[in-house]
Amino acid sequence: MANQERLRQELIRLDGRGYKAFQDIQGSYDFADFTLIIDRVQGDPFASPSNIRVKVPMTVAKFPEELYQTKSREIALRDYLTRYFDVCTQKFKEKRGTGNSGLISILPVGQEVLERNSVIINSEFVEVRFVVGLPAGGRRILGYQAIEMLCDQVPQLVNLTLKYPRLDAKKIQRHVEIVEDADWLRQELANKGLVAFVADGAILPRRSGVDDRPLAESAIAFQSPESLKVAFDRPNQGSITGMGIPAGVTLIVGGGYHGKSTLLRAIEVGIYNHIPDDGREFVITNPDAVKIRAEDGRSVANVDISPFISNLPQDRSTTNFSTTNASGSTSQAANIMEALEAGSKVLLIDEDTAATNFMIRDHRMQALIAKNQEPITPFIDKVRQLYADYNVSSILVMGGSGDYFEVADTVIAMQNFQPQDVTEKAKEIANQYANQRQAEGGEKFGQIMPRIPIRETIDPSYRQKQVRLKVRDVDEMVFGGEDIDLSAVEQIVDKAQSRAIAEAMVYAVRQYANKTATLPEILDRIMADIELRGLDILTRFPQGDLAFFRKFELAAAINRLRSLNCQKSEKALNSPK
Ligand code: ADP
Ligand code: MG
């Protein structure tokens, strides 16, 4: 391996030459107490910056093993180091020439603690992946500026961020303990018959629609009603109390602007862990909970939506339903059936983003429009069967229809941002004012038929390119010749997740899509591979810009491919009961 001095000499030699000559520095360099690896050199000063790694032996980095000995702790520590590295690179923000010359930057992160491949840690070493804008004046190499960046700033960054004795031990300890406790709680939910938990004292509202940090001054802390209160004894931080949402059907009701959607949103992202002081560190949700919404305009490929929709005009099939432009109700039905196909155990629905005619059909409308003239079986007539037949719970924000009182196990009213348990009152009202509507859902929920995606219809190529992937934003990706709109997939929270999902789609095609594999089988195989071997398996070299995603969001991206076509499988998914 070349050493630091070699790199320095090389950069002096390259000074003033055309930018392309930078390619020569690709490789590994032995620095005094770490290794610098240049994996990819950008083609010009405006191209996406070059990919760099530093690898510090644990004998130098000296992180105590207890900080990364469990999976939860390891992910938390990696998250902490990504954040701290990011903070420290701000010190070196300096424009050094054209394009992105001078840039040093690591994966940007939000409020969630996700497994990311920006930092890798094990008993041998800690490794950080980041990007560097190799400096140029015009298109000529600025060799001495590059020396300053790679041979001076990078070692400083290593010193500042990757040597444990220099770091804030208390802060790191708290970070890993909170994340580990949150993971522990998520595992405990089922033992207590719960699908979600919202800790007393939690701060749910956010600063704004574009700022995910906690609302600062006027936020009212969450306080569980007595009747729903549960307590846990966390392994690290001891006892905690809060509201437990039991399995079954739960309604969140209350006046407009009283905090219903804010509560549901916190539950939606409670599938992820959050950083200390986020306010939602201990809002914990069943990891298989999926947000469902209407999404008119999306394409749907070969989904059996017959539990909800049948007898469409023109005899259109609903057991093998495809469309390039779904309506509000058919899109919501497809979203549910796809979530069930992928194995969801909890559905989360907010009236704000649901199709009204999918959610309810009241007595008067039943009298006016006969059942055989209405293709939609509303969710209200299926929600109990989902729980009875498949053990799938629902949490619904429903301020507008008391018809749901009959089908709910738990009714929570939000009043001035505080929850009340109004289950008994709602049941009394349901008895007092008899509901004349007819249940239209039949006896059983119906079959969930997994599909076999046809490999050729998931095609990442475009013109001469074998693979064309671009993630423009958290909700917008280019896959082959198509744009995939993920804006309705609300549990993707990070652009690094979208990037990983795009790569995982290519991986799916290469590794597992064949003539017999069903979508749930493909998803499970990919997730098992990532679990075992990490996110790095998705890319050619360790880019450090990927974050963990769930199979549900991967499925969601595949399902939104307009080219997708599927075959039916023979066997329906088994109901657990
Ligand atoms: P709803 O869905 O009941 O109409 P929202 O959840 O949209 O109400 O909340 C309305 C507003 O109140 C939002 O701007 C939200 O940020 C704010 N809000 C929600 N919960 C709280 C809280 N606990 N403390 C302070 N403000 C809150
Ligand atoms: Mg709302």
Side-chain angles (χ1 to χ4, degrees), residues 202-208 215 218-222 253-264 350-352 397 414 416-418:
I203 301 295
L204 308 187
R206 301 292 101 189
R207 286 207 194 155
S208 79
L215 184 66
S218 52
I220 292 172
F222 191 89
V253 301
Y257 218 73
H258 277 258
K260 303 184 296 297
S261 297
T262 303
L263 172 58
L264 192 75
D350 190 331
E351 60 186 351
D352 291 353
V397 170
M414 292 304 286
N416 299 313
F417 311 127
Q418 288 297 3

Side-chain angles (χ1 to χ4, degrees), residues 358-377:
F358 182 80
M359 298 305 292
I360 47 178
R361 191 165 121 79
D362 67 10
H363 169 60
R364 286 185 170 162
M365 198 51 81
Q366 288 181 326
L368 184 66
I369 308 292
K371 172 66 188 141
N372 61 13
Q373 291 299 311
E374 171 56 270
I376 304 169
T377 301

